[in-house]
Amino acid sequence: MENKKTFNLQMVKRLPLYVNALKKLRASGVEYISTTTLVKEMKLETMLVRKDLAGLGIPGRQKLGYKVNELLIAIDGYLGWNRYGEAFLIGAGALGSALMGYKQLEEYGLNIVAAFDVADSKVGKEIHGKTVLHLSKLPNLAKRMGVRSAILTVPPESAQTVADMLVMAGIRGIWNFSTKELHLPDQVICHNENIAGGLAAFSFKLKEMYDKETKNGQE
Amino acid sequence: MENKKTFNLQMVKRLPLYVNALKKLRASGVEYISTTTLVKEMKLETMLVRKDLAGLGIPGRQKLGYKVNELLIAIDGYLGWNRYGEAFLIGAGALGSALMGYKQLEEYGLNIVAAFDVADSKVGKEIHGKTVLHLSKLPNLAKRMGVRSAILTVPPESAQTVADMLVMAGIRGIWNFSTKELHLPDQVICHNENIAGGLAAFSFKLKEMYDKETKNGQE
């Protein structure tokens, strides 16, 4: 089970890369695309691209290949892209501020409508055109605006407390950058973004490479 | 093969979370830790924690459990943490600036020694205490400072061109945030950080949850 889930997740995470490539092709007037061209454009293995396309359930046309627009629509449908609608951001530190100014998120339809913090140094500050509000204002605003998604960029030690408060405020989805696993009720989904984990993976790959070279050098 | 690799990578990515938890315990005077306590602290499944500990190759002590310090040292050794040494950052936009000010990276030993960009609006600007340099200065500096790791936070359309330049300048490891798959020679490793992919995964999970609720409501 875990296995299957891992694979689906990897496919899901690749889809924005397809969207980028397909939009670029569409902008240059391409209507149909062959698997071969897509493989080349995506710089992925042929088998993987075939698997991803099969997963989307779009049939290719003999000789013509896939219709670029159909693929884009299929990806949209598969991801339920945009379901998060408007989102709150909690924790206006370096990472939080960056996400507020990160244009790619907007391109994918994620609209950060308000940012919150508790630090005197941050509340009231304007970041990328939005004023940081005190966290205590979140429950009322969530109710009034109907916001149900949140981006959590607080330090690990306050992550659970803030998450509990978000749940109480009716938040149903948390995109968690806090490097802390959260205890959440079943009706709330969470996706962990683990940048420290990415750094660990980067370090591990470097280690493997340098170790291999040292070993080869000794032989 | 691919399967195995995925699992190792997932374990590697969890290790910084262990480091956080173990350092917290050590700071509060804990010397030994049982699997049960670690499971509770990490909010992970018991089987997964056992598997991770086995992967690190540290034996538990009857009754006493694991020695906190030994676990931390084992993780350090496993990851080759710190092998990246000093790193350059290329692309001083919102995300790049955030990484320059993101204290967690420093805690894990990643030291961004210089930042580069090509935009007139960014070159010469000071970000978190460092002056952004023109990209053309990178090759000379890499040679002089012996820097071999780079963090790539440029837009997808310039990612490959910049990566080619980094390879020419002797960079051996690229932590790639550009949401673009890179073509690199064998002697250069790359770890892709796909934040747009994370957003896709977040969206997908929300969709699954809301779809399930709609279905249940109709039954």
Side-chain angles (χ1 to χ4, degrees), chain B residues 63-79:
Chain B
K63 285 186 188 167
L64 281 169
Y66 294 88
K67 198 165 188 180
V68 173
N69 256 335
E70 278 183 12
L71 275 177
L72 282 166
I73 291 165
I75 293 173
D76 245 43
Y78 188 84
L79 287 181

Side-chain angles (χ1 to χ4, degrees), chain A residues 41-215:
Chain A
E41 197 62 40
M42 293 288 299
K43 293 168 188 164
L44 293 174
E45 309 233 328
T46 309
M47 277 302 294
L48 201 60
V49 171
R50 283 193 197 283
K51 219 165 136 183
D52 290 345
L53 291 172
L56 290 171
I58 290 279
R61 284 173 179 74
Q62 200 78 40
K63 284 189 187 163
L64 279 169
Y66 294 88
K67 198 163 187 181
V68 172
N69 256 335
E70 277 182 11
L71 275 178
L72 282 167
I73 291 165
I75 293 173
D76 244 41
Y78 187 84
L79 287 181
W81 212 235
N82 249 337
R83 288 286 185 101
Y84 33 75
E86 301 186 317
F88 286 155
L89 180 137
I90 304 100
L95 187 62
S97 307
L99 291 175
M100 291 173 74
Y102 194 36
K103 290 195 189 70
Q104 283 215 296
L105 300 188
E106 270 178 46
E107 279 168 30
Y108 293 123
L110 181 70
N111 186 8
I112 299 172
V113 288
F116 300 87
D117 209 298
V118 289
D120 283 345
S121 59
K122 283 170 196 150
V123 175
K125 205 174 134 187
E126 190 162 309
I127 297 172
H128 296 290
K130 273 167 204 117
T131 307
V132 178
L133 306 172
H134 195 277
L135 185 58
S136 59
K137 295 195 174 157
L138 187 144
N140 257 330
L141 266 178
K143 209 173 161 185
R144 248 176 44 210
M145 301 174 76
V147 171
R148 296 166 89 194
S149 292
I151 306 169
L152 197 58
T153 45
V154 299
E157 54 273 19
S158 42
Q160 186 63 53
T161 315
V162 174
D164 291 341
M165 181 199 173
L166 293 174
V167 171
M168 292 283 285
I171 294 293
R172 299 295 308 279
I174 298 176
W175 192 14
N176 177 25
F177 284 78
S178 77
T179 69
K180 178 88 190 165
E181 293 284 330
L182 302 173
H183 269 306
L184 295 168
D186 286 344
Q187 78 272 18
V188 179
I189 66 101
C190 180
H191 183 70
N192 293 324
E193 207 64 46
N194 180 3
I195 291 181
L199 181 57
F202 177 52
S203 169
F204 185 74
K205 286 178 183 178
L206 276 173
K207 184 196 115 176
E208 284 194 312
M209 179 180 71
Y210 290 138
D211 281 356
K212 212 171 131 193
E213 285 180 0
T214 312
K215 213 176 132 200

